Amino acid sequence: MLDIQHLSKTFYPGTINQRTALQDLSLHLEDGEFVSVIGSNGAGKSTLFNAVCGVFLPDSGRILLDGTDITFQKEHRRASMIGRIFQDTSIGTAPNMTIEENLALAYRRSSGKRSLLAITRDDRAFFRQQLAQLDLGLEDRLTTKVGLLSGGQRQAVALLMSTLVTPRLLLLDEHTAALDPATAEKVLNITRAIVEEKKITCMMITHNISSALALGNRTIMMHDGRIVLDLQGEERAQMTVPRLLEVFKAKVSRELDNDRMLLEQ
């Protein structure tokens, strides 16, 4: 489904700011896989997502989605196939537009069928039905501006916007990191329900190691632009947070130095 082959990227080559962000990284995802991605700050997690989305071109390697080579495809061309939600709750939604306008915009962008200026009665019924599944009471607030919603409500709307038309791939870039624990848990439950119901192939960056081992069916750990651990099946099912930290230290000969990961176990 997603096939990343020997991907490498170095920023500012030949300067004092040279930084190798991805090193000969290869990864294959089957249709419907839900992969959690963990690693210290600077490990290359968001850089990997940016490469898949087309934010920049890699120095070498290929990216294939459903067998189509998208390595050099423009970012906006990939947007109809790849949904992405960020840590910042203000990204991905238009705060001065209403909930129904945001949903209509996302629907038009993903399907290419509707005009934003022509939100019909059927559209509103569809949006209300989808919002009701979030169990946040937003189905009765279609005309509320998104900027007036709480962070958790905005992330839930962003998640719905990214999946109104089922994407081929959904990328969740620490999408609960800015939320309080109770709200984060609520958004994670909504995420799990939507991904399972629509059978979406999904990758989720998280600093919560427990969530990384509990959500989905596979966990990968990155370090210095490489994948150093790939856990799935029985090995993942038996893995604990302390054991994972031990394995990481053995693999890279250093302690995991990200306080957020250690605190959010």
Side-chain angles (χ1 to χ4, degrees):
M1 191 278 171
L2 176 67
D3 198 18
I4 300 171
Q5 303 173 356
H6 305 289
L7 205 65
S8 294
K9 180 64 179 182
T10 297
F11 293 102
Y12 314 113
T15 73
I16 60 172
N17 295 317
Q18 178 172 316
R19 179 173 66 87
T20 300
L22 297 174
Q23 299 188 58
D24 194 32
L25 187 149
S26 294
L27 176 67
H28 178 77
L29 268 63
E30 295 291 346
D31 218 9
E33 275 200 292
F34 188 158
V35 181
S36 55
V37 185
I38 55 177
S40 300
N41 289 335
K45 305 181 297 297
S46 291
T47 303
L48 174 61
F49 277 21
N50 286 338
V52 172
C53 288
V55 175
F56 58 77
L57 299 179
D59 298 331
S60 60
R62 301 171 69 206
I63 303 171
L64 291 87
L65 188 62
D66 282 343
T68 300
D69 192 334
I70 63 170
T71 310
F72 300 105
Q73 196 175 87
K74 298 292 186 182
E75 184 177 2
H76 72 273
R77 293 284 303 277
R78 307 186 201 191
S80 62
M81 303 179 290
I82 302 173
R84 186 175 183 180
I85 304 176
F86 297 84
Q87 173 181 343
D88 188 342
T89 59
S90 66
I91 299 177
T93 57
N96 292 321
M97 297 172 65
T98 65
I99 293 176
E100 68 175 19
E101 288 171 341
N102 272 270
L103 293 176
L105 182 62
Y107 190 78
R108 181 185 65 173
R109 182 177 65 240
S110 298
S111 67
K113 294 180 180 180
R114 305 292 179 92
S115 168
L116 176 60
L117 299 178
I119 302 176
T120 67
R121 182 179 299 178
D122 287 343
D123 290 333
R124 290 190 176 93
F126 173 63
F127 296 156
R128 187 172 288 110
Q129 177 191 40
Q130 295 298 308
L131 286 164
Q133 297 178 29
L134 302 179
D135 194 27
L136 296 174
L138 296 176
E139 64 273 18
D140 298 319
R141 300 179 62 185
L142 286 176
T143 58
T144 298
K145 289 188 177 182
V146 168
L148 298 177
L149 303 179
S150 68
Q153 290 171 330
R154 287 187 71 159
Q155 286 299 66
V157 170
L159 184 62
L160 187 57
M161 289 171 65
S162 293
T163 57
L164 271 179
V165 176
T166 305
R168 298 186 191 179
L169 177 67
L170 179 62
L171 302 178
L172 306 173
D173 196 344
E174 297 190 66
H175 71 307
T176 63
L179 307 177
D180 65 82
T183 304
E185 185 65 25
K186 177 77 171 178
V187 172
L188 283 176
N189 288 335
I190 292 170
T191 301
R192 181 190 293 109
I194 290 177
V195 170
E196 288 180 356
E197 177 189 353
K198 299 195 173 188
K199 297 179 173 59
I200 301 172
T201 305
C202 179
M203 294 180 69
M204 180 186 74
I205 295 174
T206 180
H207 279 92
N208 189 310
I209 302 179
S210 295
S211 292
L213 293 174
L215 285 171
N217 64 303
R218 185 175 174 188
T219 299
I220 63 174
M221 176 176 275
M222 294 184 63
H223 179 70
D224 285 345
R226 299 176 291 112
I227 294 174
V228 294
L229 286 173
D230 189 344
L231 303 171
Q232 49 193 310
E234 189 62 25
E235 181 184 21
R236 181 178 186 263
Q238 299 299 322
M239 185 62 66
T240 63
V241 173
R243 175 59 182 154
L244 179 59
L245 297 176
E246 290 176 6
V247 173
F248 173 81
K249 182 179 179 180
K251 284 278 187 179
V252 302
S253 300
R254 60 176 289 185
E255 300 280 355
L256 191 62
D257 58 2
N258 190 316
D259 289 342
R260 286 178 62 196
M261 294 190 70
L262 297 177
L263 290 172
E264 295 183 13
Q265 296 174 19

